[in-house]
Amino acid sequence: MLKLNTISWLLPFLMASLPLMTGSYGSVGAWCWIQTNQGTDSSPVDFYVGTSLRFALFYLPLWACIALNAATYIYVTRHVKRFSGMGSVGQQRAKTVKLIRLVHRLRFYPLILVVAWAPSTINRLHDAVDPGRPVFWLSLLAVLCRSAQGLMNALTYGFNRTVREAWRRDLCGKKFRSSEEDADSDKAKLIGDAQDVEAAPVPRLRQPSPKKAMPREMKSHDSDAGDRTSLLREFS
């Protein structure tokens, strides 16, 4: 934790203090940043010094962080896909599906950083190559893309299926039913049918009563009685 705080706070503080110690901060049009004289005497900061500070303290670290973010998202995406391929059932399977959807949205974040900062970088490269001749439409595009970074992040992260279905529900009223609600209702119906089947009494089959076997002695007495009756009939 100490190492993380040192990198997160001390390094940016040193990078922001270096232009302050050299007196490079000043008005650069619409905002305050590192000045360059752009080949004229409008700024006391040397053109090459100001341009070097701009790229060394901002644009090079910026694109290094963008590359690091892209590599991290690729690493996470591969591991999540590998984990999802192992197979799972029940509630764990549903969590895996949601995680895969989230990972699919993660690949847009490096693209958003590229779209937001590529025009500004190109504009600064043009100023370094051809100072004193700014391009208006390129400067305007750089401002628009940087300002739209928050909007692009919000749309990528927040405009998911749940948010879209909430908008449709608000716009269409009670007639709209989301796919999740349909799935929940079908699932509840299946669970209710299964519970009814389990709660239903099982009919018991009536088994035939086994025949009682007569004792051997009783069978012998019955046979003797039959023989005596037949003899009496013959002599009578």
Side-chain angles (χ1 to χ4, degrees):
M1 185 62 69
L2 179 61
K3 185 177 180 180
L4 179 61
N5 287 326
T6 303
I7 296 174
S8 302
W9 293 96
L10 183 60
L11 185 59
F13 176 77
L14 294 176
M15 294 173 65
S17 300
L18 184 59
L20 182 63
M21 291 184 293
T22 57
S24 300
Y25 284 128
S27 176
V28 289
W31 47 79
C32 177
W33 200 38
I34 301 173
Q35 289 182 324
T36 58
N37 55 20
Q38 297 288 338
T40 63
D41 295 333
S42 60
S43 173
V45 182
D46 183 72
F47 171 75
Y48 296 101
V49 173
T51 302
S52 300
L53 288 176
R54 285 180 176 182
F55 281 94
L57 299 179
F58 184 76
Y59 285 104
L60 290 179
L62 171 67
W63 286 101
C65 292
I66 292 175
L68 180 61
N69 285 337
T72 303
Y73 289 140
I74 292 173
Y75 178 81
V76 172
T77 302
R78 289 180 178 178
H79 277 264
V80 170
K81 289 182 177 180
R82 187 180 304 173
F83 172 76
S84 62
M86 295 179 181
S88 55
V89 294
Q91 188 177 4
Q92 186 66 27
R93 179 63 180 174
K95 292 181 180 179
T96 304
V97 171
K98 291 182 179 179
L99 186 60
I100 292 175
R101 291 174 181 171
L102 177 61
V103 168
H104 287 171
R105 291 202 305 271
L106 289 179
R107 68 178 182 267
F108 292 104
Y109 287 104
L111 181 61
I112 290 173
L113 292 174
V114 172
V115 172
W117 289 103
S120 297
T121 306
I122 296 173
N123 187 30
R124 292 306 176 189
L125 288 173
H126 175 268
D127 292 340
V129 174
D130 191 7
R133 297 178 60 183
V135 180
F136 174 75
W137 66 266
L138 187 57
S139 301
L140 180 62
L141 182 63
V143 173
L144 292 177
C145 290
R146 281 184 304 182
S147 302
Q149 181 178 354
L151 177 62
M152 290 186 289
N153 286 331
L155 292 177
T156 303
Y157 182 77
F159 201 63
N160 50 27
R161 187 176 65 177
T162 304
V163 176
R164 290 195 301 268
E165 291 178 352
W167 276 98
R168 293 174 187 172
R169 189 183 300 109
D170 293 337
L171 295 175
C172 300
K174 298 181 179 180
K175 296 181 180 180
F176 175 76
R177 292 185 62 186
S178 63
S179 58
E180 293 183 356
E181 290 177 351
D182 294 336
D184 293 340
S185 62
D186 295 339
K187 183 178 180 181
K189 184 178 180 181
L190 292 174
I191 294 175
D193 295 340
Q195 291 177 351
D196 293 339
V197 171
E198 292 179 358
V202 179
R204 299 181 61 182
L205 298 177
R206 186 175 182 181
Q207 297 180 356
S209 58
K211 294 181 180 180
K212 296 182 180 181
M214 296 178 62
R216 293 183 178 180
E217 297 180 356
M218 186 176 297
K219 288 183 178 180
S220 61
H221 290 306
D222 293 340
S223 59
D224 294 340
D227 295 338
R228 290 174 183 175
T229 304
S230 58
L231 288 174
L232 291 173
R233 290 178 178 176
E234 291 177 358
F235 287 103
S236 59

